[in-house]
Amino acid sequence: MSEPEILPWDRQRGEPERAYGYFAVYRDFGRTRSVAKVATEVHKSREYLHKLATKWRWVQRAQAWDREEDRLYAEGLAEQRRDMARRHARIASALQGKIVARLQSLDASKLSPGDIARWLEVATRVERLALGLPDSTTAHTGPDGGPIRAEVEQMTEQQRADFFRALMAEAAARAGQAAPGAEPGDPGGDEDDEDGEVADGPAEQA
């Protein structure tokens, strides 16, 4: 059976226990370590400790220890980020369900252009949260680059109702639900473009 690997920061073969103890003090001082600090700590002469440090390669072994500490820290940080992403995904999923329920209770015929524009922004923000993207404000524009509210204001009442129903269907599809009045398997019509907006909605009919 092979012997276990001796790591640089472990006691080396032939290294006296007392000498290793001095190295451990040096190692544990961190990146501000020095032989002078060890000499003060253990009440030994610098000359004596310098000889031990040279013979047992304290500097190289301590650097290997630092690299291992950095690796373990990076792994721990990555795991914390993964846990955070999973928590955010659960929160975003719950938020989607609440927004869909709220959308389904609204009467599209009574919504103003500003109301529709705000719900479009909310739907896009929910999608960003679900994808783990920053919760930033997205500037929505109409086909000529103008604000989406101006586009909605130019719609007829029927077009506004159709536009909002499409938004409801999109939000329901993102939450894994069927929109009210939609056929099974039909999310409500329009496909999403890469920015999460309605690709060919009534905003372009004005």
Side-chain angles (χ1 to χ4, degrees):
M1 183 176 180
S2 59
E3 295 184 4
E5 177 186 5
I6 298 179
L7 299 171
W9 49 87
D10 293 335
R11 182 181 174 186
Q12 305 298 293
R13 291 187 179 88
E15 183 178 19
E17 184 175 350
R18 184 183 296 272
Y20 175 67
Y22 295 150
F23 164 71
V25 173
Y26 174 80
R27 177 197 66 198
D28 294 344
F29 268 123
R31 286 178 165 82
T32 62
R33 62 179 67 90
S34 69
V35 170
K37 288 184 177 181
V38 179
T40 301
E41 180 75 15
V42 301
H43 307 291
K44 294 292 181 181
S45 71
R46 294 187 185 182
E47 291 76 12
Y48 169 67
L49 293 176
H50 271 298
K51 289 179 181 179
L52 289 179
T54 301
K55 179 177 182 180
W56 297 107
R57 303 174 66 248
W58 284 11
V59 172
Q60 294 84 349
R61 291 165 66 189
Q63 288 174 345
W65 169 262
D66 290 340
R67 289 192 295 272
E68 177 66 8
E69 289 287 286
D70 289 344
R71 184 187 69 80
L72 293 174
Y73 175 78
E75 285 186 355
L77 190 60
E79 183 58 31
Q80 289 178 12
R81 287 173 176 168
R82 286 191 289 269
D83 289 343
M84 181 180 67
R86 287 191 284 266
R87 288 196 304 272
H88 286 181
R90 289 195 295 268
I91 292 170
S93 177
L95 180 59
Q96 282 180 317
K98 290 182 180 297
I99 288 179
V100 168
R102 181 74 177 99
L103 287 170
Q104 291 172 343
S105 68
L106 297 176
D107 184 349
S109 64
K110 297 180 180 179
L111 294 176
S112 68
D115 292 333
I116 295 177
R118 282 192 292 274
W119 277 113
L120 178 60
E121 181 179 359
V122 167
T124 303
R125 290 179 64 191
V126 169
E127 182 180 37
R128 293 179 66 83
L129 285 171
L131 294 174
L133 298 174
D135 181 19
S136 58
T137 302
T138 304
H140 299 292
T141 60
D144 349 353
I148 190 70
R149 175 167 181 164
E151 294 297 325
V152 175
E153 286 175 343
Q154 298 173 21
M155 298 179 187
T156 65
E157 289 187 6
Q158 182 59 46
Q159 287 174 332
R160 290 178 190 173
D162 291 343
F163 180 87
F164 190 70
R165 276 195 292 270
L167 175 60
M168 291 172 63
E170 179 183 350
R174 288 174 184 169
Q177 302 177 19
E183 294 297 328
D186 179 7
D190 301 316
E191 296 180 353
D192 297 341
D193 63 12
E194 293 180 356
D195 293 327
E197 298 182 3
V198 178
D200 295 310
E204 297 185 7
Q205 298 177 10

